Amino acid sequence: MARRPAPIAAPAGAPLPPGPEAVLPGLGRHLGSCLIPAAALLVAATALLPREAGWAAVLALVIGLGVPHGALDGEVAKPFLAPRFGRAWFPVFAAPYLALTAAVLMAWRWAPDLTLAGFLALSVLHFGSEDAGPGRPAEALVRGGLPIALPALVRPDETARIFAVVTHTAMPVLPDWWTLPAWAWLVLASAWLCLRRPPFETLAELAGLSLAFLVLPPLSAFGLYFVCLHAPRHMRSLADDPARAPAVDGMGRAVVLALPIFGLTLLIGLLLWPTYPQANGVERLLALTLQGLAALTVPHWLLDRWVEGRLRAGDDRGTAPAPSR
């Protein structure tokens, strides 16, 4: 058998060629910078399709590109649970997570209107805390309320149609418990913009999102926000913070680590599919997706709050988890 030639050593003092560990982060950043604009164009293009085809296309993008960011919750919990529970850390994490998810899915069947109200309120808190950051409650309400309140103000009939499908109830018009808080949000947002005068980057984001909700159907505009802003922002925050998820050391690594739980999420969705009463396939997908997002948001948000509390307590004692890349 022929022997492989020995590698030629670089001359002393010569710079070494970049290895994969140096190339991949740059490649990941390049791909990410291309993926988000491409996803934005795809989501916006769904507005050109007939309603049901547009719904199906948006939901496919939300599931494929948006849902995986929540699949990193295990990586967020692991640094806090593994030192105490060892290899049993995952069941300790997964059992209450799945129990809460199942409880919310059951709540959609027992009290759909109340669950919808809770989902919308929690979405404002969750989106706002991600977009504004800690310690900014007014800004969090303004930014988190935009993708929830604007559809009720600018396209109330289409929005009512979507949530009539999701709740499987008659909803010819939006209920007052939704429209009145939406108008209150508009007053708060206007006052905040006038009094606080946020930086240009924040204004540009709010203006772009507002334009999207003005010109696109509600589901397409929400998909644009969820896929192109909320999900990548969450993943990037984990990649930039080694204390929260030490294994997530870049966007490419985040995608790889999310795949197993994302696959499990898809499997659970397939198992739940026959339990939904909507006869129309697209409407059934809409109900399953939005109810599933609500069910996953509850443990996702609670985990974020728990981890933030643990990190603050660790910083105060000087015992925050050490990053282990």
Side-chain angles (χ1 to χ4, degrees):
M1 182 180 293
R3 298 178 62 185
R4 293 182 181 178
I8 300 174
L16 295 175
E21 69 280 356
V23 174
L24 289 178
L27 180 61
R29 286 191 295 268
H30 176 71
L31 291 175
S33 65
C34 298
L35 179 61
I36 293 177
L41 289 175
L42 287 174
V43 176
T46 62
L48 303 176
L49 300 173
R51 185 179 68 187
E52 289 195 357
W55 282 4
V58 173
L59 294 170
L61 291 168
V62 166
I63 294 169
L65 299 178
V67 171
H69 83 279
L72 290 169
D73 283 355
E75 297 299 328
V76 174
K78 184 176 180 179
F80 299 91
L81 298 179
R84 181 175 180 182
F85 297 100
R87 293 182 180 180
W89 77 267
F90 187 76
V92 171
F93 156 75
Y97 200 101
L98 292 175
L100 281 170
T101 301
V104 176
L105 289 175
M106 293 303 298
W108 279 109
R109 306 297 176 93
W110 295 333
D113 288 346
L114 183 60
T115 306
L116 173 61
F119 173 44
L120 295 173
L122 183 59
S123 296
V124 172
L125 295 176
H126 178 50
F127 294 155
S129 62
E130 289 274 353
D131 293 344
R136 299 175 178 177
E139 180 178 348
L141 284 175
V142 171
R143 299 180 70 170
L146 192 153
I148 304 302
L150 267 189
L153 299 177
V154 300
R155 294 178 183 259
D157 294 339
E158 294 178 57
T159 305
R161 171 61 182 162
I162 290 171
F163 282 102
V165 172
V166 173
T167 59
H168 200 55
T169 60
M171 192 180 294
V173 296
L174 289 177
D176 290 340
W177 57 256
W178 191 356
T179 54
L180 293 178
W183 284 109
W185 169 85
L186 184 61
V187 173
L188 171 65
S190 302
W192 181 79
L193 289 170
C194 294
L195 297 175
R196 296 304 300 267
R197 297 182 181 179
F200 174 78
E201 293 81 4
T202 301
L203 286 174
E205 180 177 313
L206 292 174
L209 275 177
S210 299
L211 180 63
F213 279 96
L214 287 171
V215 301
L216 297 177
L219 194 63
S220 296
F222 175 78
L224 183 69
Y225 167 76
F226 191 77
V227 168
C228 299
L229 282 178
H230 177 69
R233 178 170 284 157
H234 179 82
M235 297 177 80
R236 193 176 298 114
S237 70
L238 294 181
D240 293 341
D241 187 356
R244 290 181 65 196
V248 183
D249 56 1
M251 292 293 284
R253 183 66 174 159
V255 172
V256 171
L257 291 172
L259 289 178
I261 302 299
F262 176 56
L264 179 61
T265 304
L266 293 181
L267 177 60
I268 293 173
L270 288 175
L271 294 175
L272 289 173
W273 177 266
T275 68
Y276 279 76
Q278 289 81 359
N280 181 291
V282 175
E283 292 186 355
R284 184 183 297 193
L285 180 62
L286 175 64
L288 175 59
T289 302
L290 292 192
Q291 288 189 14
L293 284 178
L296 293 170
T297 297
V298 172
H300 177 67
W301 182 78
L302 289 174
L303 176 66
D304 280 348
R305 302 287 76 74
W306 179 74
V307 167
E308 285 183 8
R310 291 293 300 271
L311 288 174
R312 283 196 300 268
D315 287 341
D316 292 340
R317 297 192 301 266
T319 58
S324 54
R325 300 285 189 189

